[in-house]
Amino acid sequence: MVANIFILTGAGISAASGVPTFRGADGLWEGHHIEDVASPEGFARDPVLVHEFYNQRRAALSRVNPNRAHAALVTLERAVIAHGGDFTLVTQNVDDLHQRAGSERLFPMHGQLTRARCTACGWAGDAPPLLSSAHSCPACARKGDVRPDIIWFGEMPYFMEEIEERLANADLFAAIGTSGHVYPAAGFVREARRAGAVTIELNLEPSAIRGQFDHAIEGNADETVPIWVDGVLGQLHGDR
Ligand code: APR
């Protein structure tokens, strides 16, 4: 019986929507070393570059749409809930495609492009379309302390308590479109296994941690995820 489903997604699920993944073949993220644009040190060194980088990513959201994989996970969520089960979707992605597709039990553990926060007073809210060091915090009015609400290397991801609790109760764990290079997310499969969950990876190619999964399906997520979801739905309905 499948009662508690835990899904982890990464950049690969948004690839078919036209959002570039992080680790391209050249090891760069859209021409930048990842640590230059995704670390507090990189931000301190060159805030203009980092603001500009995220302003471009934020603007690009208006040119992309959720794909069939995002939609299939919404179908799965609704079916599992209707069936009396529990559903958790944790994404490492900072795009808003799961939200726009209609996912509700969603935990964006690495933050969101559409959000900003102030490092001086702790304010967090909607990001303006263009963020810069000249921006004043809407709460404390200080200039220069509002940054993208994105978890960078060395920072603690959001929702870790909720995630740990749900992993401990998972019956089925699926990782979709993630390279398995970044922790703590790359460690979730081990925790799910420890909880007795069946584990599966759906990725374009075997990830760095492929060996830790019970099963794997290779291919484009927008093709493999809807088919896999159909199979899980069949199992759910068979449980009735
Ligand atoms: N369908 C399925 N998988 C795909 C597709 C696709 N169409 N295209 C690419 N992939 C796979 C790649 O093979 C790769 O294994 O998705 C994975 C994407 O890996 P990364 O670019 O490393 O992205 P992700 O795992 O989400 O990165 C994790 O790293 O830089 C940080 O915080 C950032 O959240 C990010 C984290």
Side-chain angles (χ1 to χ4, degrees), residues 175-196:
I176 303 171
T178 178
S179 58
H181 284 299
V182 175
Y183 287 81
F188 291 172
V189 60
R190 261 188 206 285
E191 293 184 54
R193 283 180 73 111
R194 212 173 298 132

PDB file of all heavy atoms in Angstrom, residues 175-196:
ATOM      1  N   ALA A 175      13.015  10.812  -6.409  1.00  0.00           N
ATOM      2  CA  ALA A 175      13.839  11.993  -6.704  1.00  0.00           C
ATOM      3  C   ALA A 175      13.786  12.211  -8.211  1.00  0.00           C
ATOM      4  O   ALA A 175      14.035  11.288  -8.987  1.00  0.00           O
ATOM      5  CB  ALA A 175      15.274  11.762  -6.243  1.00  0.00           C
ATOM      6  N   ILE A 176      13.419  13.418  -8.598  1.00  0.00           N
ATOM      7  CA  ILE A 176      13.208  13.707 -10.018  1.00  0.00           C
ATOM      8  C   ILE A 176      14.124  14.845 -10.475  1.00  0.00           C
ATOM      9  O   ILE A 176      14.073  15.958  -9.915  1.00  0.00           O
ATOM     10  CB  ILE A 176      11.735  14.115 -10.272  1.00  0.00           C
ATOM     11  CG1 ILE A 176      10.777  13.017  -9.796  1.00  0.00           C
ATOM     12  CG2 ILE A 176      11.512  14.449 -11.754  1.00  0.00           C
ATOM     13  CD1 ILE A 176       9.297  13.416  -9.806  1.00  0.00           C
ATOM     14  N   GLY A 177      14.974  14.581 -11.471  1.00  0.00           N
ATOM     15  CA  GLY A 177      15.765  15.645 -12.096  1.00  0.00           C
ATOM     16  C   GLY A 177      16.754  16.337 -11.185  1.00  0.00           C
ATOM     17  O   GLY A 177      16.904  17.553 -11.240  1.00  0.00           O
ATOM     18  N   THR A 178      17.439  15.551 -10.364  1.00  0.00           N
ATOM     19  CA  THR A 178      18.451  16.160  -9.487  1.00  0.00           C
ATOM     20  C   THR A 178      19.736  15.337  -9.530  1.00  0.00           C
ATOM     21  O   THR A 178      19.694  14.106  -9.543  1.00  0.00           O
ATOM     22  CB  THR A 178      17.917  16.357  -8.044  1.00  0.00           C
ATOM     23  OG1 THR A 178      18.957  16.906  -7.238  1.00  0.00           O
ATOM     24  CG2 THR A 178      17.380  15.085  -7.425  1.00  0.00           C
ATOM     25  N   SER A 179      20.879  16.047  -9.570  1.00  0.00           N
ATOM     26  CA  SER A 179      22.159  15.385  -9.828  1.00  0.00           C
ATOM     27  C   SER A 179      22.728  14.658  -8.612  1.00  0.00           C
ATOM     28  O   SER A 179      23.690  13.907  -8.738  1.00  0.00           O
ATOM     29  CB  SER A 179      23.179  16.409 -10.338  1.00  0.00           C
ATOM     30  OG  SER A 179      23.336  17.445  -9.390  1.00  0.00           O
ATOM     31  N   GLY A 180      22.175  14.925  -7.420  1.00  0.00           N
ATOM     32  CA  GLY A 180      22.650  14.227  -6.225  1.00  0.00           C
ATOM     33  C   GLY A 180      23.988  14.742  -5.720  1.00  0.00           C
ATOM     34  O   GLY A 180      24.678  14.077  -4.954  1.00  0.00           O
ATOM     35  N   HIS A 181      24.338  15.969  -6.112  1.00  0.00           N
ATOM     36  CA  HIS A 181      25.621  16.541  -5.682  1.00  0.00           C
ATOM     37  C   HIS A 181      25.486  17.437  -4.460  1.00  0.00           C
ATOM     38  O   HIS A 181      26.481  17.753  -3.815  1.00  0.00           O
ATOM     39  CB  HIS A 181      26.238  17.373  -6.815  1.00  0.00           C
ATOM     40  CG  HIS A 181      26.844  16.548  -7.895  1.00  0.00           C
ATOM     41  ND1 HIS A 181      27.885  15.681  -7.669  1.00  0.00           N
ATOM     42  CD2 HIS A 181      26.547  16.443  -9.213  1.00  0.00           C
ATOM     43  CE1 HIS A 181      28.213  15.083  -8.806  1.00  0.00           C
ATOM     44  NE2 HIS A 181      27.417  15.522  -9.757  1.00  0.00           N
ATOM     45  N   VAL A 182      24.259  17.919  -4.195  1.00  0.00           N
ATOM     46  CA  VAL A 182      24.117  18.945  -3.165  1.00  0.00           C
ATOM     47  C   VAL A 182      23.355  18.411  -1.948  1.00  0.00           C
ATOM     48  O   VAL A 182      22.225  17.926  -2.070  1.00  0.00           O
ATOM     49  CB  VAL A 182      23.421  20.195  -3.756  1.00  0.00           C
ATOM     50  CG1 VAL A 182      23.140  21.224  -2.680  1.00  0.00           C
ATOM     51  CG2 VAL A 182      24.305  20.804  -4.835  1.00  0.00           C
ATOM     52  N   TYR A 183      24.014  18.516  -0.790  1.00  0.00           N
ATOM     53  CA  TYR A 183      23.407  18.092   0.467  1.00  0.00           C
ATOM     54  C   TYR A 183      22.793  19.301   1.166  1.00  0.00           C
ATOM     55  O   TYR A 183      23.222  20.410   0.898  1.00  0.00           O
ATOM     56  CB  TYR A 183      24.480  17.426   1.355  1.00  0.00           C
ATOM     57  CG  TYR A 183      24.841  16.060   0.819  1.00  0.00           C
ATOM     58  CD1 TYR A 183      25.740  15.934  -0.245  1.00  0.00           C
ATOM     59  CD2 TYR A 183      24.246  14.917   1.329  1.00  0.00           C
ATOM     60  CE1 TYR A 183      26.024  14.684  -0.775  1.00  0.00           C
ATOM     61  CE2 TYR A 183      24.543  13.667   0.815  1.00  0.00           C
ATOM     62  CZ  TYR A 183      25.427  13.557  -0.235  1.00  0.00           C
ATOM     63  OH  TYR A 183      25.711  12.326  -0.763  1.00  0.00           O
ATOM     64  N   PRO A 184      21.789  19.136   1.993  1.00  0.00           N
ATOM     65  CA  PRO A 184      21.270  17.885   2.517  1.00  0.00           C
ATOM     66  C   PRO A 184      20.344  17.110   1.578  1.00  0.00           C
ATOM     67  O   PRO A 184      20.083  15.938   1.826  1.00  0.00           O
ATOM     68  CB  PRO A 184      20.501  18.303   3.775  1.00  0.00           C
ATOM     69  CG  PRO A 184      20.083  19.703   3.511  1.00  0.00           C
ATOM     70  CD  PRO A 184      21.178  20.314   2.686  1.00  0.00           C
ATOM     71  N   ALA A 185      19.864  17.719   0.476  1.00  0.00           N
ATOM     72  CA  ALA A 185      18.868  17.020  -0.351  1.00  0.00           C
ATOM     73  C   ALA A 185      19.374  15.661  -0.838  1.00  0.00           C
ATOM     74  O   ALA A 185      18.612  14.682  -0.877  1.00  0.00           O
ATOM     75  CB  ALA A 185      18.465  17.899  -1.533  1.00  0.00           C
ATOM     76  N   ALA A 186      20.676  15.591  -1.178  1.00  0.00           N
ATOM     77  CA  ALA A 186      21.213  14.337  -1.701  1.00  0.00           C
ATOM     78  C   ALA A 186      21.190  13.228  -0.642  1.00  0.00           C
ATOM     79  O   ALA A 186      21.297  12.039  -0.977  1.00  0.00           O
ATOM     80  CB  ALA A 186      22.631  14.556  -2.225  1.00  0.00           C
ATOM     81  N   GLY A 187      21.032  13.608   0.621  1.00  0.00           N
ATOM     82  CA  GLY A 187      20.990  12.603   1.694  1.00  0.00           C
ATOM     83  C   GLY A 187      19.578  12.107   2.008  1.00  0.00           C
ATOM     84  O   GLY A 187      19.400  11.178   2.795  1.00  0.00           O
ATOM     85  N   PHE A 188      18.560  12.698   1.356  1.00  0.00           N
ATOM     86  CA  PHE A 188      17.177  12.322   1.698  1.00  0.00           C
ATOM     87  C   PHE A 188      16.878  10.862   1.358  1.00  0.00           C
ATOM     88  O   PHE A 188      16.107  10.206   2.053  1.00  0.00           O
ATOM     89  CB  PHE A 188      16.168  13.219   0.967  1.00  0.00           C
ATOM     90  CG  PHE A 188      16.154  14.657   1.436  1.00  0.00           C
ATOM     91  CD1 PHE A 188      15.416  15.614   0.745  1.00  0.00           C
ATOM     92  CD2 PHE A 188      16.869  15.061   2.557  1.00  0.00           C
ATOM     93  CE1 PHE A 188      15.391  16.937   1.168  1.00  0.00           C
ATOM     94  CE2 PHE A 188      16.848  16.389   2.983  1.00  0.00           C
ATOM     95  CZ  PHE A 188      16.107  17.316   2.277  1.00  0.00           C
ATOM     96  N   VAL A 189      17.463  10.357   0.270  1.00  0.00           N
ATOM     97  CA  VAL A 189      17.162   8.976  -0.127  1.00  0.00           C
ATOM     98  C   VAL A 189      17.577   7.993   0.967  1.00  0.00           C
ATOM     99  O   VAL A 189      16.861   7.035   1.261  1.00  0.00           O
ATOM    100  CB  VAL A 189      17.780   8.625  -1.505  1.00  0.00           C
ATOM    101  CG1 VAL A 189      19.292   8.767  -1.522  1.00  0.00           C
ATOM    102  CG2 VAL A 189      17.379   7.211  -1.911  1.00  0.00           C
ATOM    103  N   ARG A 190      18.711   8.252   1.596  1.00  0.00           N
ATOM    104  CA  ARG A 190      19.164   7.375   2.691  1.00  0.00           C
ATOM    105  C   ARG A 190      18.178   7.397   3.849  1.00  0.00           C
ATOM    106  O   ARG A 190      17.855   6.358   4.432  1.00  0.00           O
ATOM    107  CB  ARG A 190      20.515   7.885   3.235  1.00  0.00           C
ATOM    108  CG  ARG A 190      21.689   7.148   2.704  1.00  0.00           C
ATOM    109  CD  ARG A 190      22.947   7.594   3.447  1.00  0.00           C
ATOM    110  NE  ARG A 190      24.119   7.407   2.617  1.00  0.00           N
ATOM    111  CZ  ARG A 190      24.676   6.238   2.372  1.00  0.00           C
ATOM    112  NH1 ARG A 190      24.182   5.139   2.923  1.00  0.00           N
ATOM    113  NH2 ARG A 190      25.738   6.144   1.587  1.00  0.00           N
ATOM    114  N   GLU A 191      17.697   8.603   4.171  1.00  0.00           N
ATOM    115  CA  GLU A 191      16.742   8.720   5.297  1.00  0.00           C
ATOM    116  C   GLU A 191      15.438   8.011   4.966  1.00  0.00           C
ATOM    117  O   GLU A 191      14.843   7.361   5.822  1.00  0.00           O
ATOM    118  CB  GLU A 191      16.474  10.190   5.600  1.00  0.00           C
ATOM    119  CG  GLU A 191      17.691  10.888   6.153  1.00  0.00           C
ATOM    120  CD  GLU A 191      17.393  12.323   6.531  1.00  0.00           C
ATOM    121  OE1 GLU A 191      16.447  12.543   7.305  1.00  0.00           O
ATOM    122  OE2 GLU A 191      18.102  13.218   6.041  1.00  0.00           O
ATOM    123  N   ALA A 192      15.006   8.142   3.705  1.00  0.00           N
ATOM    124  CA  ALA A 192      13.755   7.489   3.303  1.00  0.00           C
ATOM    125  C   ALA A 192      13.910   5.973   3.375  1.00  0.00           C
ATOM    126  O   ALA A 192      13.016   5.255   3.827  1.00  0.00           O
ATOM    127  CB  ALA A 192      13.373   7.928   1.898  1.00  0.00           C
ATOM    128  N   ARG A 193      15.073   5.483   2.945  1.00  0.00           N
ATOM    129  CA  ARG A 193      15.323   4.034   3.007  1.00  0.00           C
ATOM    130  C   ARG A 193      15.308   3.536   4.444  1.00  0.00           C
ATOM    131  O   ARG A 193      14.766   2.486   4.751  1.00  0.00           O
ATOM    132  CB  ARG A 193      16.683   3.706   2.397  1.00  0.00           C
ATOM    133  CG  ARG A 193      16.682   3.729   0.901  1.00  0.00           C
ATOM    134  CD  ARG A 193      18.062   3.383   0.423  1.00  0.00           C
ATOM    135  NE  ARG A 193      18.313   1.962   0.626  1.00  0.00           N
ATOM    136  CZ  ARG A 193      18.423   1.089  -0.363  1.00  0.00           C
ATOM    137  NH1 ARG A 193      18.300   1.491  -1.607  1.00  0.00           N
ATOM    138  NH2 ARG A 193      18.660  -0.170  -0.115  1.00  0.00           N
ATOM    139  N   ARG A 194      15.924   4.350   5.294  1.00  0.00           N
ATOM    140  CA  ARG A 194      15.963   3.987   6.717  1.00  0.00           C
ATOM    141  C   ARG A 194      14.542   3.888   7.277  1.00  0.00           C
ATOM    142  O   ARG A 194      14.251   3.075   8.148  1.00  0.00           O
ATOM    143  CB  ARG A 194      16.779   5.029   7.510  1.00  0.00           C
ATOM    144  CG  ARG A 194      17.513   4.444   8.686  1.00  0.00           C
ATOM    145  CD  ARG A 194      18.437   5.444   9.360  1.00  0.00           C
ATOM    146  NE  ARG A 194      19.500   5.941   8.492  1.00  0.00           N
ATOM    147  CZ  ARG A 194      19.827   7.212   8.341  1.00  0.00           C
ATOM    148  NH1 ARG A 194      19.158   8.154   8.979  1.00  0.00           N
ATOM    149  NH2 ARG A 194      20.805   7.565   7.555  1.00  0.00           N
ATOM    150  N   ALA A 195      13.639   4.714   6.724  1.00  0.00           N
ATOM    151  CA  ALA A 195      12.238   4.696   7.184  1.00  0.00           C
ATOM    152  C   ALA A 195      11.456   3.555   6.538  1.00  0.00           C
ATOM    153  O   ALA A 195      10.283   3.373   6.809  1.00  0.00           O
ATOM    154  CB  ALA A 195      11.578   6.030   6.851  1.00  0.00           C
ATOM    155  N   GLY A 196      12.116   2.821   5.637  1.00  0.00           N
ATOM    156  CA  GLY A 196      11.454   1.674   5.011  1.00  0.00           C
ATOM    157  C   GLY A 196      10.774   1.997   3.690  1.00  0.00           C
ATOM    158  O   GLY A 196      10.015   1.180   3.159  1.00  0.00           O
TER     159      GLY A 196
END
